[in-house]
């Protein structure tokens, strides 16, 4: 067998007419007495193979014909163009080695029929092998690769920020406390932003990208307790700079996914027309305007309240691309937001809200650069000054206006894929009642 080149399903088109070796798992099998059509998957794609009884040794044909779902095998066969096949090719089997045959008595639990979500989530480690999860994982990978390219090509330096942190960034109500050594308490990070600010003062333009944690006790489609966030931060930057950077990022992600992940979007039956329209410029409005629009649409929202999921959905109802909403009430925002000079009751923050109910994918803005104002905010938010001394240093030694944002990877992936829940946008989701597998 080893004399034949080992190929992946994704690259099979390059080997038309040749005999190749392919290793994978049995995804599905149709068969009659004389012919069997095993569908193999190898992590790069799915390929229908053909085993004909008359052309194979009896024993080999029978072992293929009686294969069980998810058995592992290597096949040798000839690649043939087939216009009716999903990927355009089929493989005519000449030989096969079965590495592990899944026994009938204990079959692979996820069959092509419908299963309930809890059943699937309990078997997430296996569910990842299905076609739908394959497509989502590959789109997530593409989103992350687009994000990195976007910042790397703009001279941002990746600086990793810590996961164990001594203080809150996004409010004390969603902190996960961890027992550290010698009675010391630390928290799982909610955001790398505060460290990003220090790093930006050292390197100008930086980003961090890693897992972040929120003890969200709400069970919604849009909240995970552990999610991945990419956060850029820039020295000498204003709210406007943050908006431009955020819009550019979203546009480049959408372009990249449309360019390289068409097949996966098709598997997910994603309506790509809804992604094609995501181009610059995005509509922009203030929180004030958004509240008026929402009230006009029948929302009960009043000035000063944060948008709920339904408000975000309502606001973007007629939009074919995300909207940038800025200048939210200072009261409902985190302690670090720079207030508007003319109207200190609103903060120089911006949210990017995706259409079709996907909600806020980006939140960020300009940070307070004045030491005294920052001290006052820490007090108002009842945050312990000693844990923030180092952060205050940034306002003592060459303080400048600066800003950045955070983009949630799972929110973005959900939107790209058209998922109705964040739980499928990450391999092993962590939610209020879900910490396994
Ligand atoms: O708006 P958030 O809370 O902003 C921050 O954490 C800032 N410190 C970021 C910064 O300026 N550097 O979160 C940013 C994004 C949200 O827009 C959303 O996409 C995502 O993170 N996010 C969540 N995603 C999944 N589950 C949750 N519980 C999330 N909370 C926020
Ligand atoms: Mg936010």
């Amino acid at each position: 067998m080893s004399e034949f080149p080992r190929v992946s399903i994704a690259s099979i088109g390059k080997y038309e007419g040749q005999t190749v070796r392919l290793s994978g798992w049995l995804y599905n099998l149709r068969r009659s007495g004389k012919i069997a059509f095993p569908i193999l998957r190898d992590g790069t794609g799915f390929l229908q193979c053909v085993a004909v009884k008359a052309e194979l040794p009896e024993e080999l044909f029978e072992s293929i014909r009686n294969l069980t779902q998810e058995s592992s095998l290597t096949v040798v066969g000839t690649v043939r163009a087939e216009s009716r096949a999903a990927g355009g090719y089929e493989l005519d089997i000449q030989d096969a080695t079965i590495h592990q045959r899944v026994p009938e008595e204990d079959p692979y639990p996820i069959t092509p029929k419908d299963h309930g979500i809890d059943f699937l989530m309990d078997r997430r480690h296996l569910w990842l092998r299905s076609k739908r999860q394959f497509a989502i994982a590959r789109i997530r990978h593409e989103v992350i690769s687009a994000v990195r390219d976007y910042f790397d090509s703009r001279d941002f330096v990746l600086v990793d920020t810590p996961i164990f942190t001594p203080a809150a960034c996004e409010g004390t109500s969603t902190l996960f406390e961890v027992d550290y050594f010698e009675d010391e308490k630390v928290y799982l990070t909610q955001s790398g932003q505060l460290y990003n600010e220090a790093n930006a003062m050292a390197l100008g333009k930086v980003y961090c990208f890693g897992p972040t944690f929120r003890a969200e006790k709400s069970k919604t489609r849009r909240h995970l307790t552990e999610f991945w966030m990419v956060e850029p931060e820039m020295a000498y930057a204003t709210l406007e700079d943050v908006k431009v950077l955020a819009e550019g990022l979203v546009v480049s992600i959408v372009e990249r996914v449309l360019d390289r992940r068409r097949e996966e979007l098709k598997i997910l039956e994603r309506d790509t027309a809804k992604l094609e329209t995501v181009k610059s410029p995005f509509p922009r409005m203030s929180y004030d305007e958004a509240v008026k629009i929402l009230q006009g649409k029948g929302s009960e929202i009043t000035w000063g309240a944060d948008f709920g999921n339904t408000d975000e959905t309502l606001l973007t109802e007629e939009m074919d691309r995300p909207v940038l909403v800025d200048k939210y009430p200072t009261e409902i925002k985190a302690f670090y937001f720079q207030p508007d000079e003319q109207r200190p009751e609103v903060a120089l923050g911006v949210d990017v809200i995706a259409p079709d109910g996907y909600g806020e994918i980006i939140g960020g803005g300009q940070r307070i650069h004045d030491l005294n104002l920052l001290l006052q905010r820490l007090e108002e938010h009842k945050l312990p000054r000693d844990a923030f001394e180092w952060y205050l240093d940034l306002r003592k030694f060459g303080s400048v206006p600066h800003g950045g944002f955070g983009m949630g990877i799972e929110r973005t992936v959900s939107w790209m894929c058209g998922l109705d829940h964040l739980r499928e946008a990450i391999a092993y989701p962590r939610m209020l009642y879900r910490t396994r597998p």
Side-chain angles (χ1 to χ4, degrees):
M1 275 189 139
S2 55
E3 66 265 34
F4 302 107
R6 184 176 169 190
V7 303
S8 67
I9 293 176
S11 70
I12 204 95
K14 286 191 263 176
Y15 299 90
E16 196 190 333
Q18 296 183 41
T19 303
V20 298
R21 184 162 51 109
L22 179 68
S23 293
W25 294 263
L26 185 81
Y27 188 65
N28 209 344
L29 178 70
R30 283 191 302 118
R31 61 185 182 175
S32 69
K34 292 188 178 124
I35 192 161
F37 300 101
I39 295 180
L40 259 61
R41 57 165 199 89
D42 73 342
T44 75
F46 298 77
L47 180 72
Q48 175 155 299
C49 304
V50 186
V52 181
K53 184 174 180 174
E55 288 164 18
L56 295 174
E58 172 94 31
E59 204 184 327
L60 176 63
F61 178 75
E62 284 309 314
S63 70
I64 294 172
R65 191 182 171 275
N66 290 309
L67 268 179
T68 43
Q69 196 188 341
E70 286 305 321
S71 290
S72 47
L73 71 159
T74 296
V75 296
V76 165
T78 310
V79 182
R80 175 170 42 78
E82 169 56 70
S83 58
R84 287 167 300 175
Y89 296 93
E90 280 186 354
L91 191 83
D92 293 321
I93 296 180
Q94 289 155 15
D95 197 3
T97 306
I98 291 146
H99 307 296
Q100 191 244 330
R101 184 173 186 281
V102 177
E104 266 93 6
E105 314 83 74
D106 192 7
Y108 186 70
I110 304 173
T111 58
K113 70 164 194 190
D114 280 345
H115 297 283
I117 186 69
D118 286 331
F119 179 92
L120 291 168
M121 272 296 164
D122 287 342
R123 291 158 188 79
R124 184 67 174 158
H125 53 294
L126 301 176
W127 188 24
L128 294 174
R129 302 180 187 195
S130 78
K131 205 179 243 184
R132 179 180 160 84
Q133 302 310 316
F134 157 90
I136 296 170
R138 288 165 67 95
I139 291 173
R140 178 184 169 112
H141 173 86
E142 199 64 58
V143 167
I144 290 172
S145 142
V147 163
R148 290 199 182 281
D149 287 349
Y150 181 81
F151 291 117
D152 294 347
S153 67
R154 282 166 179 74
D155 296 326
F156 281 73
V157 179
L158 173 74
V159 184
D160 298 313
T161 52
I163 306 262
F164 288 144
T165 55
C169 179
E170 295 299 317
T172 48
S173 65
T174 59
L175 280 175
F176 277 114
E177 203 174 278
V178 179
D179 281 326
Y180 210 60
F181 305 112
E182 321 279 322
D183 297 331
E184 193 184 342
K185 297 270 186 223
V186 295
Y187 308 101
L188 295 182
T189 185
Q190 298 167 308
S191 155
Q193 181 197 317
L194 306 186
Y195 297 93
N196 256 350
E197 291 181 48
N199 301 341
M201 298 308 146
L203 293 151
K205 294 196 286 185
V206 296
Y207 70 103
C208 64
F209 184 23
T212 46
F213 305 85
R214 305 276 168 100
E216 307 264 12
K217 279 233 159 142
S218 53
K219 223 186 148 198
T220 81
R221 302 186 291 124
R222 289 183 190 170
H223 290 93
L224 297 170
T225 52
E226 176 182 316
F227 64 97
W228 283 67
M229 179 154 62
V230 61
E231 300 179 80
E233 191 73 27
M234 304 174 283
Y236 291 101
T238 61
L239 174 61
E240 177 62 23
D241 297 323
V242 171
K243 285 187 200 169
V244 170
L245 190 73
E247 180 174 315
L249 174 63
V250 173
V251 168
S252 80
I253 292 171
V254 174
E255 262 174 15
R256 175 76 85 86
V257 170
L258 283 173
D259 183 38
R260 300 199 191 166
R261 296 292 162 202
R262 287 274 169 187
E263 279 302 314
E264 287 81 357
L265 292 169
K266 207 158 100 195
I267 291 173
L268 298 171
E269 294 172 14
R270 177 71 168 112
D271 180 359
T272 48
K274 296 207 161 188
L275 296 176
E276 307 275 4
T277 51
V278 180
K279 299 215 158 84
S280 281
F282 290 177
R284 293 178 172 208
M285 64 179 71
S286 65
Y287 169 88
D288 294 359
E289 291 168 278
V291 167
K292 281 200 200 101
I293 291 173
L294 286 169
Q295 287 169 342
K297 286 174 177 279
S299 165
E300 315 234 292
I301 194 162
T302 52
W303 199 98
D306 210 351
F307 300 147
N309 288 355
T310 31
D311 289 315
E312 288 179 353
T313 306
L314 205 57
L315 188 66
T316 53
E317 221 175 16
E318 279 120 37
M319 294 180 186
D320 64 356
R321 63 196 78 191
V323 57
L324 302 174
V325 181
D326 72 357
K327 302 195 179 172
Y328 285 76
T330 310
E331 278 278 307
I332 57 171
K333 285 290 178 189
F335 74 96
Y336 51 72
F337 277 98
Q338 173 73 16
D340 186 289
E341 214 174 321
Q342 272 83 49
R343 280 178 73 199
E345 71 275 16
V346 297
L348 297 185
V350 60
D351 279 0
V352 179
I353 302 173
D356 301 315
Y358 288 98
E360 182 199 323
I361 52 170
I362 288 180
Q366 195 179 320
R367 328 300 189 188
I368 291 175
H369 55 270
D370 178 73
L371 177 64
N372 290 324
L373 181 56
L374 190 56
L375 280 168
Q376 186 191 321
R377 284 286 193 269
L378 285 178
E379 229 164 77
E380 286 165 11
H381 285 256
K382 300 194 172 57
L383 292 167
R385 177 172 170 162
D386 60 326
F388 288 89
E389 274 312 336
W390 67 270
Y391 185 66
L392 293 169
D393 275 354
L394 308 176
R395 278 72 185 172
K396 293 183 197 161
F397 305 114
S399 191
V400 297
H402 62 285
F405 63 81
M407 185 184 83
I409 292 295
E410 291 76 16
R411 296 252 181 113
T412 308
V413 170
S414 282
W415 173 43
M416 289 302 103
C417 295
L419 309 180
D420 57 17
H421 198 298
L422 245 54
R423 67 188 157 212
E424 281 183 274
I426 183 165
Y428 300 97
R430 297 294 176 246
M431 298 175 284
L432 185 50
Y433 300 115
R434 171 67 59 188
T435 51
R436 288 164 201 225

